[in-house]
Amino acid sequence: MSNPLLLTDFYKTIHHMCYAEGLTKLVSYWTPRMSRKEDINKVVMFGLQPFIKKYLIQYFNENFFNRDKKEVISEYKRVISNTMGDIASDTKHIETLYDLGYLPIQIKAVAEGLRVNIKTPMIEITNTHKDFAWLVNYLETFMSCNIWQLMTSASIGYRYREIVEKYFNLTVDNGDVKRACGDFSMRGFSSLESAEFSGAAHLLSFIGTATIPAIDFLEKYYNCNIENEIVGLGTPSTEHSVMCSYGQDEYLAYKRLITEVFPSGTLSIVSDTYDYWNVIIKILPRLKEDILSREGKIVIRGDSGDPVKIICGDKNATKGSEEYKGTVELLWEIFGGEINSKGYKVLNNKIGTIYGDSITIERCVEICKGLEEKGFAVNNCVFGIGSYTYQYNTRDTFGFALKATHAVINNEEKFIFKDPKTDTGNFKKSQKGMCYVYKDGEDILYKDELTIKEQENKKDNLLELVFKDGKLLKDYSLSEIRNRLHKSF
């Protein structure tokens, strides 16, 4: 395991020598500065707690404070001297930190699960000891690479929840919106840790998932337990290797799976291995009685083609063809169902459909709208959300950055800020001074240019103390975060 003081960018290692003389306090704010996602103008606060528990406490203790001092210092000096030169490899500040025995850092943050407006600070970080102002922004890179993805995926997952909830309210009688979207993204991530991050964020808005490690992550860092609450649920499902193992005799495959392997319960069967429409219009009718007599549901999963057309039908196809009708209408013709109190068709509860390939926010809207226009309840289809949605993002999706805005230099408070003239959209302009974050109706906004005392007098400041001097001071649970995000999960 690496020395945590080496888990940063090279340039951070010399900033302790570069700050203005007399600097004894630095205050910085983590802020989403913009949105590159249409219809997302708020960001979900999520993911700081694991970073504090795993890294600021456990990792720093095990890999810095509890190790031999000479070993820690020589390790740091070896790397910096051989890559940046002798001047850059000064270690007095590292030795002083080691001798102190804890991280002299204070972090305030809005409560996890709150949705914060773009440009509103979410996290405040400062030093608690005059000798360690340099440490505040030293932690920026380490913190940023551990929290931006959780916040980004949580915000995108919430947007999916908004979409399906809107159409559930319009078309569904008795349906659980939390089951409307499952997380299929793990295989498309760059690492196990990034899959855990994003998978956990998805589970703030939904309970369906294929990402098992996300559940362990939430149990470890967010005070939940699958033995007494629903954290996430998987679904028995086949993949193409299973279907291919039967050759092209798809009737045999379906018959055995439905009657012998899973004679009860939910089973999702990938159905496009050879001829998707043939499965629906030829094979499923032959298995109709087997399906209807089962205790449970068979879910037909398309996995190729245009998701909107596969589920809702293609208006440009030959009228009356299977392509024209689409999956949901064809299943209605075979298995029937009922009309709910809102006037929408609901498939027989022994059959359903899911689509887990190439789903995007835009396609989710199109499918929901397409089903509604055809008179079908939206809960006839489940969405599998993959890595195109959750991995195809960067820190700049919401412009996250930690910027210094306040300092104490020679016992005098200073408002510090950046405001580049070449930044024509004011994207990079930072706040000034201390910040106060407050609720205004459905929005969470901020006021800056405050002194330390002026900020302290704002008793309703949403920035709450969560970490100080090596200790966690707030410990949120998953259920608390879910209920804060959705009012009632």
Side-chain angles (χ1 to χ4, degrees):
M1 301 294 277
S2 297
N3 181 330
L5 273 302
L6 292 171
L7 299 180
T8 190
D9 300 311
F10 269 120
Y11 76 146
K12 298 283 190 187
T13 63
I14 56 96
H15 291 171
H16 68 288
M17 299 185 286
C18 300
Y19 282 116
E21 288 187 332
L23 177 70
T24 56
K25 189 174 186 65
L26 192 66
V27 183
S28 294
Y29 289 93
W30 172 266
T31 306
R33 298 174 295 176
M34 68 175 298
S35 174
R36 297 181 190 272
K37 294 286 185 181
E38 190 176 347
D39 295 325
I40 301 182
N41 58 9
K42 293 181 181 180
V43 173
V44 176
M45 173 61 188
F46 181 61
L48 178 61
Q49 186 163 293
F51 174 67
I52 291 173
K53 288 183 174 181
K54 183 175 182 178
Y55 289 113
L56 294 190
I57 298 174
Q58 182 182 348
Y59 195 95
F60 258 92
N61 285 337
E62 291 178 0
N63 297 286
F64 187 72
F65 293 116
N66 294 342
R67 289 177 62 196
D68 178 76
K69 180 179 179 180
K70 287 184 179 177
E71 185 180 285
V72 168
I73 301 307
S74 63
E75 180 181 71
Y76 177 88
K77 191 171 185 67
R78 173 183 173 273
V79 172
I80 302 304
S81 65
N82 282 290
T83 54
M84 296 256 283
D86 290 338
I87 295 176
S89 66
D90 167 59
T91 62
K92 293 187 187 68
H93 61 307
I94 307 293
E95 294 176 47
T96 305
L97 177 61
Y98 182 94
D99 292 339
L100 186 67
Y102 64 88
L103 272 184
I105 288 293
Q106 173 181 289
I107 298 177
K108 292 181 179 180
V110 300
E112 300 214 18
L114 281 180
R115 294 175 63 238
V116 173
N117 291 61
I118 297 296
K119 296 190 180 299
T120 295
M122 305 170 78
I123 301 169
E124 173 192 293
I125 180 169
T126 188
N127 56 300
T128 60
H129 187 296
K130 64 182 180 62
D131 293 339
F132 297 97
W134 63 268
L135 185 57
V136 174
N137 265 49
Y138 195 98
L139 293 171
E140 175 191 9
T141 306
F142 194 17
M143 183 173 84
S144 178
C145 74
N146 276 285
I147 67 175
W148 75 259
Q149 191 165 54
L150 289 119
M151 294 182 182
T152 300
S153 290
S155 304
I156 294 170
Y158 182 88
R159 179 63 189 136
Y160 273 96
R161 173 70 178 257
E162 279 186 313
I163 293 164
V164 294
E165 204 161 65
K166 170 187 171 182
Y167 284 94
F168 263 59
N169 290 336
L170 181 65
T171 70
V172 177
D173 256 350
N174 300 305
D176 188 353
V177 70
K178 300 189 296 294
R179 297 174 183 264
C181 296
D183 171 28
F184 286 11
S185 65
M186 182 175 175
R187 69 191 59 195
F189 271 98
S190 58
S191 69
L192 174 59
E193 192 168 40
S194 64
E196 289 176 333
F197 286 173
S198 185
H202 171 87
L203 290 171
L204 296 190
S205 291
F206 301 100
I207 57 176
T209 185
T211 307
I212 297 173
I215 294 173
D216 180 60
F217 178 88
L218 288 168
E219 285 193 314
K220 189 177 295 182
Y221 297 113
Y222 280 104
N223 304 299
C224 57
N225 188 325
I226 59 172
E227 294 175 35
N228 52 43
E229 63 187 299
I230 295 177
V231 175
L233 298 175
T235 300
S237 309
T238 70
E239 68 173 13
H240 288 103
S241 70
V242 171
M243 308 313 291
C244 289
S245 71
Y246 291 87
Q248 295 190 40
D249 189 346
E250 295 191 277
Y251 174 78
L252 172 64
Y254 279 74
K255 178 76 172 178
R256 179 170 181 268
L257 291 168
I258 289 168
T259 61
E260 298 177 34
V261 181
F262 270 87
S264 63
T266 298
L267 176 65
S268 172
I269 304 177
V270 65
S271 303
D272 71 324
T273 306
Y274 300 110
D275 188 340
Y276 181 78
W277 298 119
N278 184 68
V279 166
I280 293 178
I281 65 173
K282 296 288 180 64
I283 294 176
L284 291 186
R286 293 172 64 189
L287 295 167
K288 180 176 177 178
E289 293 309 314
D290 290 317
I291 291 171
L292 293 178
S293 63
R294 284 179 83 253
E295 287 297 323
K297 176 184 281 191
I298 295 299
V299 180
I300 302 303
R301 176 160 71 91
D303 200 43
S304 55
D306 183 326
V308 182
K309 294 177 180 177
I310 298 295
I311 295 298
C312 301
D314 181 359
K315 295 175 182 178
N316 295 317
T318 303
K319 195 167 185 178
S321 67
E322 52 266 31
E323 291 90 349
Y324 178 83
K325 293 177 180 177
T327 303
V328 175
E329 185 175 342
L330 290 171
L331 293 178
W332 172 265
E333 290 180 350
I334 298 166
F335 295 95
E338 62 180 17
I339 309 293
N340 66 23
S341 68
K342 295 179 179 177
Y344 290 89
K345 299 173 186 174
V346 181
L347 290 172
N348 187 299
N349 61 13
K350 299 298 179 73
I351 194 76
T353 186
I354 184 171
Y355 205 97
D357 179 67
S358 303
I359 296 296
T360 63
I361 288 175
E362 294 75 21
R363 283 173 171 164
C364 180
V365 172
E366 285 187 69
I367 292 170
C368 288
K369 188 176 180 182
L371 288 174
E372 183 264 326
E373 287 176 348
K374 293 185 74 169
F376 286 100
V378 168
N379 64 331
N380 285 308
C381 179
V382 172
F383 301 94
I385 304 173
S387 56
Y388 185 85
T389 282
Y390 284 136
Q391 166 74 352
Y392 208 68
N393 301 291
T394 72
R395 177 180 69 100
D396 289 327
T397 299
F398 294 112
F400 287 118
L402 184 78
K403 296 301 172 188
T405 68
H406 193 84
V408 177
I409 302 174
N410 296 321
N411 297 316
E412 184 181 348
E413 289 190 56
K414 301 271 190 182
F415 294 173
I416 60 177
F417 62 96
K418 62 178 290 187
D419 187 9
K421 285 188 176 181
T422 49
D423 176 33
T424 53
N426 282 335
F427 162 55
K428 295 194 172 185
K429 183 179 181 180
S430 69
Q431 299 94 8
K432 297 180 186 179
M434 302 296 291
C435 294
Y436 155 59
V437 177
Y438 61 94
K439 193 168 178 60
D440 182 11
E442 293 299 310
D443 294 316
I444 293 179
L445 307 175
Y446 78 98
K447 178 176 173 52
D448 61 351
E449 299 192 49
L450 291 122
T451 65
I452 293 173
K453 191 66 176 175
E454 286 171 338
Q455 191 215 47
E456 288 173 352
N457 289 335
K458 300 288 187 182
K459 301 304 180 188
D460 60 340
N461 191 352
L462 296 179
L463 293 169
E464 301 177 286
L465 192 61
V466 296
F467 175 83
K468 186 175 182 179
D469 295 340
K471 292 182 172 57
L472 182 72
L473 301 177
K474 272 199 177 295
D475 199 0
Y476 298 108
S477 69
L478 173 62
S479 62
E480 181 182 356
I481 293 168
R482 282 171 162 175
N483 287 330
R484 184 176 291 116
L485 182 57
H486 298 287
K487 303 302 183 281
S488 177
F489 183 69

